[in-house]
């Protein structure tokens, strides 16, 4: 993967547009070059193949979210505030980019071992950062867990699972604020709340 400059970013945006419009398999490198207003030689200088280009899109999106989470940890915020802002960030990204994320998930069949390793490394980075946030919350007296690493993994898995549901069911727009609180409280308290405390929560807007 050779995305190094503004030309590479331009190619990625052109490719993403065509992948969303026509699908991965129906989009050719020639069409991408034309959409980016570049020659095929320039396209192949930046990306070895369409698969390489697709994988750059996936990696770029994941690293962008990771970078935003890392930036949150550097702000003067409590662990609770960071966790809620991260939930809100993920929900907002999904709400704004359902089709793009669906494309990424549909691409699992042609993701190679190199990308799998990269995504595992990125996932590990998410866990490490979230583990540190949970440890901060323990010190602040907000969280209580004997295993911050597993708690971080469970939290990220819960977020990804809910986001997957949003994508696959496509039941409409979501209430970002309300569902940030729902997800945070679910993580913090598990399923121990009384039924009446959840009666006004709707994951999707009606």
């Amino acid at each position: 993967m050779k995305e190094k400059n503004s030309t590479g970013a331009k190619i990625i945006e052109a490719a993403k547009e065509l992948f969303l419009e026509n699908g991965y398999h129906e989009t050719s490198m020639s069409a991408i070059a034309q959409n980016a207003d570049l020659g095929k030689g320039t396209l192949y200088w930046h990306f070895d193949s369409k698969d390489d280009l697709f994988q750059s899109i996936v990696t770029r999106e994941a690293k962008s979210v990771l970078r935003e989470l890392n930036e949150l940890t550097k702000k003067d915020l409590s662990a609770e505030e960071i966790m809620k802002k991260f939930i809100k960030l993920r929900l907002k990204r999904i709400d704004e980019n359902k089709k793009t994320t669906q494309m990424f998930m549909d691409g699992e069949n042609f993701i190679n071992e190199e990308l799998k390793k990269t995504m595992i490394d990125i996932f590990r980075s998410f866990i490490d950062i979230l583990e540190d946030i949970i440890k901060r919350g323990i010190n602040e007296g907000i969280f209580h867990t004997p295993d911050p690493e597993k708690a971080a993994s469970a939290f990220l898995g819960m977020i990804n699972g809910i986001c997957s549901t949003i994508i696959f069911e496509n039941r409409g727009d979501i209430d970002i604020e309300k569902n940030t609180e729902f997800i945070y409280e679910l993580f913090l308290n598990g399923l121990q709340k009384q039924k009446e405390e959840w009666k006004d929560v709707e994951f999707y807007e009606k």
Side-chain angles (χ1 to χ4, degrees), residues 127-142:
I127 296 299
D128 290 343
I129 296 173
L130 289 169
E131 181 182 359
D132 287 342
I133 296 169
I134 290 172
K135 287 179 179 177
R136 183 189 302 188
I138 292 173
N139 291 333
E140 294 171 352
I142 300 172

Side-chain angles (χ1 to χ4, degrees), residues 117-186:
K117 183 180 183 304
T118 299
M119 295 306 292
I120 288 171
D121 290 342
I122 293 173
F123 183 82
R124 182 67 255 176
S125 296
F126 271 113
I127 296 299
D128 290 343
I129 296 173
L130 289 169
E131 181 182 359
D132 287 342
I133 296 169
I134 290 172
K135 287 179 179 177
R136 183 189 302 188
I138 292 173
N139 291 333
E140 294 171 352
I142 300 172
F143 303 142
H144 305 279
T145 174
D147 196 330
E149 181 182 11
K150 287 183 180 177
S153 181
F155 176 74
L156 188 58
M158 181 177 70
I159 294 293
N160 290 339
I162 290 173
C163 288
S164 295
T165 300
I166 294 172
I167 295 163
F168 284 124
E169 294 191 1
N170 194 24
R171 290 167 54 188
D173 294 333
I174 62 174
D175 185 321
I176 301 294
E177 296 294 335
K178 183 184 293 185
N179 290 290
T180 293
E181 292 297 328
F182 171 81
I183 294 170
Y184 179 77
E185 290 295 328
L186 182 61

Side-chain angles (χ1 to χ4, degrees), residues 19-38:
F19 287 155
L20 290 173
E21 182 179 344
N22 304 320
Y24 174 84
H25 295 291
E26 300 302 318
T27 299
S28 66
M29 289 292 271
S30 296
I32 293 170
Q34 183 176 2
N35 197 38
D37 196 25
L38 297 169

Side-chain angles (χ1 to χ4, degrees), residues 3-206:
E3 184 209 343
K4 297 178 180 178
N5 51 36
S6 59
T7 301
K10 181 179 180 181
I11 293 170
I12 280 180
E13 290 305 315
K16 185 192 297 185
E17 181 180 326
L18 291 179
F19 287 155
L20 290 173
E21 182 179 344
N22 304 320
Y24 174 84
H25 295 291
E26 300 302 318
T27 299
S28 66
M29 289 292 271
S30 296
I32 293 170
Q34 183 176 2
N35 197 38
D37 196 25
L38 297 169
K40 285 186 68 176
T42 302
L43 186 65
Y44 278 105
W45 189 89
H46 283 80
F47 300 96
D48 296 332
S49 64
K50 185 170 67 170
D51 192 37
D52 181 39
L53 178 49
F54 177 84
Q55 290 169 39
S56 291
I57 295 174
V58 175
T59 303
R60 183 172 180 245
E61 293 288 331
K63 286 183 176 180
S64 175
V65 177
L66 179 62
R67 184 169 55 253
E68 291 186 68
L69 174 60
N70 195 41
E71 289 172 354
L72 284 175
T73 66
K74 298 176 182 178
K75 296 181 178 181
D76 185 22
L77 300 170
S78 68
E80 178 178 25
E81 289 173 316
I82 294 172
M83 295 294 257
K84 286 184 177 182
K85 284 182 179 295
F86 176 59
I87 295 169
K88 190 178 298 185
L89 167 66
R90 291 289 286 124
L91 290 176
K92 186 176 180 181
R93 285 288 190 93
I94 291 298
D95 196 39
E96 292 174 346
N97 301 288
K98 290 189 185 78
K99 288 184 66 177
T100 303
T101 308
Q102 177 70 63
M103 181 187 73
F104 298 158
M105 298 177 74
D106 289 344
E108 290 180 355
N109 291 332
F110 48 89
I111 292 176
N112 62 27
E113 290 302 318
E114 178 186 354
L115 180 58
K116 285 181 182 179
K117 183 180 183 304
T118 299
M119 295 306 292
I120 288 171
D121 290 342
I122 293 173
F123 183 82
R124 182 67 255 176
S125 296
F126 271 113
I127 296 299
D128 290 343
I129 296 173
L130 289 169
E131 181 182 359
D132 287 342
I133 296 169
I134 290 172
K135 287 179 179 177
R136 183 189 302 188
I138 292 173
N139 291 333
E140 294 171 352
I142 300 172
F143 303 142
H144 305 279
T145 174
D147 196 330
E149 181 182 11
K150 287 183 180 177
S153 181
F155 176 74
L156 188 58
M158 181 177 70
I159 294 293
N160 290 339
I162 290 173
C163 288
S164 295
T165 300
I166 294 172
I167 295 163
F168 284 124
E169 294 191 1
N170 194 24
R171 290 167 54 188
D173 294 333
I174 62 174
D175 185 321
I176 301 294
E177 296 294 335
K178 183 184 293 185
N179 290 290
T180 293
E181 292 297 328
F182 171 81
I183 294 170
Y184 179 77
E185 290 295 328
L186 182 61
F187 170 71
L188 189 65
N189 300 315
L191 299 176
Q192 295 181 355
K193 280 187 173 291
Q194 298 299 312
K195 181 178 179 181
E196 57 267 20
E197 293 185 65
W198 297 121
K199 64 183 179 180
D200 294 325
V201 176
E202 290 288 343
F203 194 80
Y204 299 93
E205 291 181 346
K206 293 182 179 179

